Amino acid sequence: MRRPLQDADENRYERPGEPWICGLAADGPPCPFGPTLAGHCPALADCIPLAEGRGWRCNRSELRGGVCPEGPDVDGKCCHRHHCTPVRSLRLRRKRFVIGTTLFTSGLLLVALASGWRSEAIVPGPLTRHHAQIIGRADQNNRCDACHPAASESPLEWALAATWGRAGGIDQTALCMNCHEDLAPVDLARLPHNVPPDHLATLTRVHGGANPIAARAHADDKKLACAVCHQEHHGAEHDLAALTDAQCQTCHQQQYASFASDHLDFGAWPYQRTEQIAFDHVAHAAKHFPAESAKFACQQCHVDDATGDVKLLVHFDQACASCHDKNIGASIAEGIAVLAVPTLDVEVLPDAGRDLDPWPERATGDFDGELPAVMQVLLAADPAVATAMANLGEGFTLADVDPDDPQQVAAAAEIGRGTKQLLEALSTDGHATLHERLPKSSSDQLHALAGQLPIDTLAAAREQWFAKPQAVERATAAELAKLAAGGGWFRDDRSMTIRYQPTGHADPWLRAWLDLAVRIENQQLRAVLLDDLGQPNSPGTCLSCHQLQDGGRAIAWRGFDRRHEPRSFTKFSHRPHVLQPELANCSHCHTLNIPESNPATLVAVSSTLSPHDFLPIGKQACATCHTPTAAGDACIQCHRYHVELKAFDGTGFSPEVNR
């Protein structure tokens, strides 16, 4: 509407909100009243004449131009009446155009969405190369179903879902897990880092983060869909795994504006994990290698895997055999006693109500001899013999038997009876006897524990020792062992013992019995086997280098290989680093922790080796290159989002595995 004091001569006909305007407005002189809301011209006059005497007087307001000179006609009607043909306003025409265009577009959209090629019509962009090569082979009209659960629904169902939501059913994250099931358990896929809230809260507390209760509550509420971080349809070369620092710091309360200035130091990384092979780098570098006039070089033992990302340990034969084969050979020079006939005082056995006739003449005399550990395990399957060995006490030898003690004599006689019965059973029933007498948990390892024990050797020993006059065997155990230098079994008639000659390093029979030693439930037999086979000076000297792990229930036969370790938060690749000349010899990052005392006096550390024979790798070693303008300092260069639950121990996360 025109303002009250607006000059009428300006002819400002401004009615943008009305659906109709005066038809004269296009010519310049629109009427001051305008059409009705229905679009009709009201044909109004400028004034309502007033009767004055016998005539009429114009009463047009000064704001409308004042009294007109013509005045009213003789009938008392105003001489200025406004007539026009109303036209639609620009607003109404725009509105009708928008509505029409919307209806037309909606119709086209409905036709497109109801057609068989609707997927092609609405696809936002090309897939990444990895997904395209899998999904592209599918039916072109239905391939969207592989990732979008609503792709096969009707437009009406889409509209209902957009308005009221979708109740139940499978969602897009569940479809992702159909292919990526090895990444995380389905029930953990939506949790931050695929980690249960309690574990994540514990980890937060261990690293000095937020209140664990608050962190756990936050983790319970925050379940993420895969598409939050992995967004498709950005082209074949798009990196689905690429995340920005801003995405990481959306959840992490401790903000890192820069790796060099804000990131915490690494602590004891990467040396906080327990080593699997006991190897003292300091002693070897400062003493053993110089003693052999050899050069200590990392590349002798650590080589690249096929990708170059991981450093692997070379085999014993390449790295260690030149020095350690001599010690191993000396420790197995006489073979390993497996079965032995103990020396018994047969004259006192009748006084204890026992008689072992016949008993070998060469095994007759004062009580003497030690039962091999393997033999004790086999004898323990006989309850009577097991009781006798328990009566003689842990770590017993027959030399400790008191001939005047009837109980000890009876126990020794029971062991003698068990020995005869064991040798007879082995020589007649063969490996079936081993299967019956070995602990049940080891029955699946019978082939390794038997070690291809020849039955004819046992039968010949039984006949030679118990049935025939015994000739003196002049060959010593060491001499006989040389005859079986390639590994195997032999009979030592001098000591009336069945011995096994290991093949050297990594002998399968010796390894099988050591594995049994750490798994066996009977603690007394466990101690016997470890004392006989697991001491530093025992045959093979295995446990001098191979560490016990899992609380002493397993042996680390192989060196650490992070390719087989569970995914943790930290990752590292050697490949781009060793290309730098200053990093090629490894010592820039891996610095030996040489004490201030004379390093030449160092000795090799045994199986109690501390992993800290290197100085920790400090953050500064990385911050020199890892800046935004050089090697980059994004979070995902060194950290993963998806981790594996088996990387946990009972208190949170196990020591970081830098895969």
Side-chain angles (χ1 to χ4, degrees):
M1 295 295 291
R2 182 182 294 137
R3 292 184 294 275
L5 300 179
Q6 183 177 349
D7 189 350
D9 295 336
E10 294 181 5
N11 285 327
R12 294 182 178 178
Y13 191 83
E14 298 177 359
R15 289 184 179 144
E18 300 297 333
W20 297 86
I21 61 174
C22 178
L24 301 176
D27 299 329
C31 67
F33 306 107
T36 64
L37 292 177
H40 302 294
C41 179
L44 298 177
D46 276 352
C47 68
I48 301 176
L50 299 175
E52 189 177 66
R54 300 181 65 180
W56 300 87
R57 178 173 60 84
C58 178
N59 68 344
R60 189 168 63 176
S61 168
E62 293 293 334
L63 295 177
R64 295 185 178 275
V67 177
C68 60
E70 297 87 350
D73 59 16
V74 295
D75 296 329
K77 296 181 180 180
C78 180
C79 61
H80 289 279
R81 303 182 75 81
H82 299 278
H83 297 275
C84 73
T85 302
V87 297
R88 291 183 176 86
S89 66
L90 179 62
R91 175 186 177 90
L92 181 60
R93 282 180 286 163
R94 285 177 175 174
K95 181 178 180 180
R96 297 180 70 178
F97 175 78
V98 170
I99 293 176
T101 302
T102 301
L103 292 175
F104 178 76
T105 303
S106 299
L108 287 180
L109 185 60
L110 289 174
V111 171
L113 294 179
S115 67
W117 44 268
R118 67 178 182 179
S119 297
E120 297 298 322
I122 64 176
V123 63
L127 294 170
T128 57
R129 191 181 310 279
H130 299 87
H131 284 161
Q133 66 180 346
I134 299 173
I135 300 176
R137 300 193 302 257
D139 180 7
Q140 294 295 306
N141 294 329
N142 298 317
R143 68 181 189 275
C144 297
D145 294 23
C147 297
H148 300 283
S152 59
E153 295 179 358
S154 66
L156 178 59
E157 290 174 309
W158 290 356
L160 294 176
T163 305
W164 288 285
R166 179 176 282 103
I170 191 171
D171 61 4
Q172 188 176 19
T173 295
L175 291 177
C176 294
M177 295 308 296
N178 287 340
C179 293
H180 298 280
E181 58 185 356
D182 60 330
L183 187 65
V186 176
D187 57 330
L188 301 178
R190 293 172 175 81
L191 297 177
H193 298 293
N194 316 129
V195 177
D198 289 341
H199 287 77
L200 197 59
T202 301
L203 181 62
T204 302
R205 174 178 52 78
V206 169
H207 287 272
N211 181 285
I213 297 178
R216 183 170 61 251
H218 177 71
D220 285 335
D221 294 338
K222 195 173 186 63
K223 292 187 176 181
L224 304 176
C226 299
V228 171
C229 298
H230 306 294
Q231 299 178 358
E232 257 291 3
H233 297 292
H234 289 283
E237 302 302 326
H238 176 64
D239 186 1
L240 279 173
L243 300 177
T244 65
D245 290 355
Q247 285 175 291
C248 298
Q249 295 183 1
T250 299
C251 297
H252 288 268
Q253 297 179 1
Q254 191 166 2
Q255 304 292 303
Y256 294 152
S258 166
F259 168 74
S261 61
D262 299 335
H263 196 286
L264 298 176
D265 203 22
F266 302 154
W269 179 86
Y271 305 119
Q272 67 268 52
R273 65 171 180 263
T274 302
E275 291 295 338
Q276 295 178 267
I277 304 297
F279 183 86
D280 189 342
H281 292 80
V282 175
H284 281 77
K287 179 181 179 182
H288 303 312
F289 273 68
E292 298 291 333
S293 300
K295 180 182 178 182
F296 185 82
C298 304
Q299 291 80 3
Q300 290 178 268
C301 300
H302 302 278
V303 297
D304 291 333
D305 72 337
T307 65
D309 293 334
V310 179
K311 292 292 183 180
L312 303 177
L313 287 174
V314 299
H315 193 267
F316 171 90
D317 293 340
Q318 181 178 344
C320 313
S322 59
C323 294
H324 289 279
D325 262 351
K326 295 179 291 186
N327 296 333
I328 294 175
S331 70
I332 60 175
E334 295 186 356
I336 301 175
V338 178
L339 299 173
V341 178
T343 300
L344 302 179
D345 188 348
V346 296
E347 294 181 357
V348 301
L349 296 185
D351 295 338
R354 302 301 177 99
D355 188 1
L356 294 178
D357 186 57
W359 189 254
E361 181 179 347
R362 290 175 53 197
T364 300
D366 293 336
F367 290 106
D368 196 9
E370 296 184 9
L371 298 183
V374 174
M375 182 175 174
Q376 291 191 45
V377 172
L378 298 178
L379 288 175
D382 185 331
V385 181
T387 301
M389 291 192 296
N391 289 338
L392 292 179
E394 185 175 346
F396 73 92
T397 65
L398 291 174
D400 297 330
V401 174
D402 184 356
D404 297 327
D405 187 336
Q407 289 186 345
Q408 292 190 11
V409 172
E414 193 62 43
I415 291 174
R417 180 198 63 78
T419 300
K420 289 179 62 176
Q421 188 179 59
L422 174 62
L423 189 57
E424 179 181 359
L426 285 171
S427 61
T428 56
D429 297 333
H431 294 173
T433 300
L434 292 177
H435 186 272
E436 294 173 359
R437 289 177 174 255
L438 286 173
K440 298 303 181 185
S441 61
S442 63
S443 59
D444 58 334
Q445 299 294 322
L446 175 62
H447 65 286
L449 294 167
Q452 299 180 349
L453 175 64
I455 305 306
D456 56 348
T457 299
L458 297 173
R462 176 168 170 258
E463 182 179 359
Q464 176 70 21
W465 297 342
F466 286 90
K468 290 184 177 180
Q470 299 155 31
V472 176
E473 175 59 61
R474 295 183 179 180
T476 64
E479 292 170 337
L480 293 170
K482 288 182 180 180
L483 300 177
W489 299 85
F490 63 93
R491 189 181 83 229
D492 179 6
D493 290 332
R494 179 187 291 269
S495 62
M496 304 187 74
T497 305
I498 300 294
R499 295 179 179 272
Y500 175 78
Q501 178 61 33
T503 56
H505 180 262
D507 180 79
W509 181 87
L510 186 54
R511 173 175 173 173
W513 278 94
L514 281 169
D515 282 335
L516 175 62
V518 296
R519 296 198 314 266
I520 197 168
E521 297 296 333
N522 188 313
Q523 294 302 309
Q524 182 175 347
L525 295 179
R526 171 189 169 91
V528 168
L529 283 171
L530 289 178
D531 286 344
D532 202 11
L533 303 177
Q535 294 300 312
N537 59 348
S538 61
T541 66
C542 303
L543 298 191
S544 296
C545 296
H546 297 280
Q547 304 271 44
L548 294 177
Q549 58 185 12
D550 294 339
R553 304 297 294 177
I555 302 173
W557 292 115
R558 295 185 178 275
F560 177 73
D561 185 348
R562 60 189 175 97
R563 296 176 305 171
H564 305 144
E565 293 298 310
R567 293 187 309 272
S568 68
F569 286 115
T570 306
K571 62 181 179 179
F572 179 83
S573 171
H574 285 88
R575 176 160 38 93
H577 294 84
V578 297
L579 295 177
Q580 309 302 320
E582 64 271 24
L583 305 181
N585 69 349
C586 308
S587 61
H588 177 82
C589 299
H590 302 283
T591 305
L592 288 173
N593 186 13
I594 300 178
E596 296 180 359
S597 60
N598 182 6
T601 63
L602 294 174
V603 295
V605 181
S606 66
S607 59
T608 59
L609 173 67
S610 167
H612 299 288
D613 51 352
F614 285 96
L615 295 174
I617 299 176
K619 182 183 74 170
Q620 192 55 38
C622 307
T624 304
C625 296
H626 283 278
T627 64
T629 57
D633 63 350
C635 299
I636 62 170
Q637 282 188 270
C638 301
H639 297 292
R640 295 186 186 88
Y641 177 86
H642 294 286
V643 297
E644 291 184 85
L645 186 59
K646 60 184 178 181
F648 283 104
D649 61 14
T651 59
F653 245 79
S654 62
E656 280 289 348
V657 177
N658 305 296
R659 182 176 170 185

